[in-house]
């Protein structure tokens, strides 16, 4: 435990010119007294840690000291090379930078770990786009990505409905969902965080100079925000309800046939199974047409009780199937 903490302390000091004892204690989750002892231990081990006294003092490494990545275990080294998504990096215009970084990390590894990039690549590959869709990279993605990395405001014009809208945005983060790129940004005029599909951007302008930068809200959590937005969107399009009676097999297959959020909600509020072992659920759906398509996949494992128009459609389907198969 202490060895790992000492390595982390050296890496922290490599990444910043100076760190106070309080900052190191917070990052390492130890007391300031422990930081003092660890600094002394590193100094005795030959790592040039220097302590500046006074109110503006702190700890720093002398002479541009750099450590090689000798503290990585094999699993850690292999996981490091799984962190990149080659296609996404290429689309954002970061492929060259990522390649250079991987080469530098590889050169810093112990000889016994030099094969980590190859072994990781042969065991894991991420293919982000969904099936049966031709992935297309939005032309303005590199410009948006640069603004995200530089914390730079942008003036974006994008398609909304039949027209176009212009907004000044503070771009916080990018999300790649099933081959589609989204920007999570704060709309300056509204002061609220919103999500935008980048392929709907018509033009993006990023002003140069310090005036174009914005101060990030450090409390913003990109994964958390995206998760909330995705679930809210899924719920917003479910505007109709159907009542369905499911067999035990139908209950198991429901999550794969309809929207997962709607399926979870329906099963959570489901009534107890009847004498035949079937469970009646109220399921939120996008429309009757979509419900017909989705529930058809469950076949005889699902019986639609309402609305009557949807039940009639399934009854007609059943008659047509009976005629086709000669029952």
């Amino acid at each position: 435990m202490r060895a790992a903490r000492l390595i982390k302390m050296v890496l922290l000091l490599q990444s910043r010119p100076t760190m106070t004892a309080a900052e190191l204690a917070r990052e390492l989750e130890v007391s300031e007294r422990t930081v003092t002892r660890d600094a002394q231990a590193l100094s005795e081990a030959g790592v040039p840690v220097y302590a500046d006294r006074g109110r503006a003092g702190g700890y720093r490494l002398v002479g541009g000291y750099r450590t090689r990545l000798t503290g990585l275990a094999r699993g850690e080294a292999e996981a490091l090379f799984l962190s990149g998504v080659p296609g996404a990096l290429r689309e954002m215009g970061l492929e060259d930078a990522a390649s250079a970084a991987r080469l530098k990390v590889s050169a810093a590894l112990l000889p016994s770990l030099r094969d980590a990039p190859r072994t990781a690549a042969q065991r894991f590959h991420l293919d982000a786009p969904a099936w049966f869709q031709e992935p297309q990279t939005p032309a303005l993605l590199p410009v948006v990505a640069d603004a995200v990395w530089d914390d730079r405001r942008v003036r974006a014009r994008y398609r909304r409905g039949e027209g176009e809208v212009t907004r000044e945005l503070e771009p916080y983060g990018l999300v790649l969902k099933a081959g589609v790129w989204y920007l999570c940004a704060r709309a300056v005029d509204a002061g609220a965080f919103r999500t935008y599909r980048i392929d709907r951007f018509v033009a993006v302008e990023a002003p140069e100079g310090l005036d174009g930068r914005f101060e990030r809200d450090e409390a913003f959590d990109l994964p958390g925000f995206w998760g909330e937005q995705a679930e809210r969107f899924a719920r917003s399009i479910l505007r109709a309800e159907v009542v369905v009676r499911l067999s035990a097999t139908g209950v198991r297959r429901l999550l794969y046939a309809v929207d997962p959020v709607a399926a979870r909600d329906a099963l959570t509020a489901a009534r107890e199974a009847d004498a035949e072992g079937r469970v009646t659920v109220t399921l939120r759906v996008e429309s009757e047409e979509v419900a017909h398509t989705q529930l058809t996949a469950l076949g005889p494992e699902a019986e639609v009780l309402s609305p009557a128009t949807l039940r009639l459609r399934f009854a007609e389907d059943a008659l047509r199937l009976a005629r086709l198969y000669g029952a």
Side-chain angles (χ1 to χ4, degrees):
M1 176 69 80
R2 191 189 187 199
R5 190 175 71 242
L6 291 175
I7 292 172
K8 184 176 181 181
M9 183 174 180
V10 173
L11 294 175
L12 284 169
L13 292 174
Q14 281 185 189
S15 65
R16 308 177 196 179
T18 303
M19 292 187 71
T20 66
E23 290 172 336
L24 285 167
R26 185 167 56 253
E27 291 282 351
L28 299 173
E29 299 181 348
V30 295
S31 66
E32 293 187 31
R33 182 173 296 180
T34 298
V35 168
T36 301
R37 287 198 297 265
D38 285 352
Q40 181 65 31
L42 287 171
S43 181
E44 292 173 356
V47 179
V49 178
Y50 183 80
D52 291 313
R53 307 296 179 185
R55 178 177 298 179
Y59 292 92
R60 59 185 174 88
L61 293 174
V62 178
Y65 176 84
R66 286 289 181 272
T67 182
R68 295 173 68 83
L69 298 179
T70 54
L72 288 177
R74 169 164 291 278
E76 295 170 330
E78 290 174 346
L80 180 65
F81 287 93
L82 293 180
S83 61
V85 184
L89 292 171
R90 181 175 59 253
E91 292 176 6
M92 288 189 292
L94 298 175
E95 184 178 27
D96 291 342
S99 177
R102 285 193 294 269
L103 286 173
K104 291 178 181 178
V105 172
S106 297
L109 291 172
L110 286 171
S112 60
L113 300 179
R114 295 282 168 80
D115 65 338
R118 182 181 60 80
T119 58
Q122 293 302 320
R123 287 164 173 80
F124 178 82
H125 175 70
L126 176 63
D127 186 8
W131 285 105
F132 312 119
Q133 292 184 8
E134 187 67 28
Q136 295 183 347
T137 304
L140 294 172
L141 177 60
V143 178
V144 176
D146 285 344
V148 170
W149 287 114
D150 293 342
D151 295 338
R152 191 177 299 280
R153 290 188 186 89
V154 298
R155 180 175 292 275
R157 192 168 80 252
Y158 63 95
R159 295 188 302 274
R160 189 171 72 181
E162 297 298 322
E164 294 182 358
V165 178
T166 299
R167 289 283 185 272
E168 185 173 351
L169 305 174
E170 295 178 349
Y172 269 68
L174 293 168
V175 174
L176 177 59
K177 170 72 171 178
V180 180
W181 284 96
Y182 296 87
L183 172 67
C184 299
R186 178 159 52 192
V188 175
D189 58 345
F193 287 99
R194 294 174 179 169
T195 303
Y196 303 85
R197 277 187 61 145
I198 295 180
D199 58 6
R200 293 179 181 168
F201 284 167
V202 176
V204 176
E205 299 176 358
E208 297 293 334
L210 295 177
D211 292 341
R213 296 186 182 276
F214 67 92
E215 192 73 24
R216 291 180 68 91
D217 180 355
E218 296 301 329
F220 178 77
D221 173 24
L222 179 59
F225 173 77
W226 173 257
E228 293 174 0
Q229 290 289 301
E231 184 162 337
R232 186 178 297 120
F233 172 76
R235 294 181 189 279
S236 70
I237 64 174
L238 304 175
R239 302 185 181 92
E241 284 188 351
V242 298
V243 180
V244 187
R245 189 166 168 259
L246 301 168
S247 68
T249 300
V251 168
R252 290 195 301 271
R253 294 180 182 174
L254 188 65
L255 281 167
Y256 306 100
V258 303
D259 180 83
V261 173
R264 286 195 297 269
D265 289 348
L267 294 174
T268 299
R271 309 168 193 172
E272 294 185 5
D274 58 24
E276 296 180 14
R278 288 185 170 252
V279 175
T280 299
V281 301
T282 299
L283 182 69
R284 291 182 300 116
V285 294
E286 186 174 346
S287 67
E288 187 172 312
E289 185 67 34
V290 171
H292 178 255
T293 301
Q294 293 175 333
L295 294 176
T296 295
L298 297 179
E301 310 303 332
E303 177 191 1
V304 173
L305 302 181
S306 70
T309 50
L310 182 57
R311 181 178 175 86
L312 179 59
R313 292 183 68 171
F314 276 100
E316 292 172 346
D317 289 347
L319 289 173
R320 291 173 58 197
L321 285 169
R323 286 196 293 267
L324 281 175
Y325 289 98

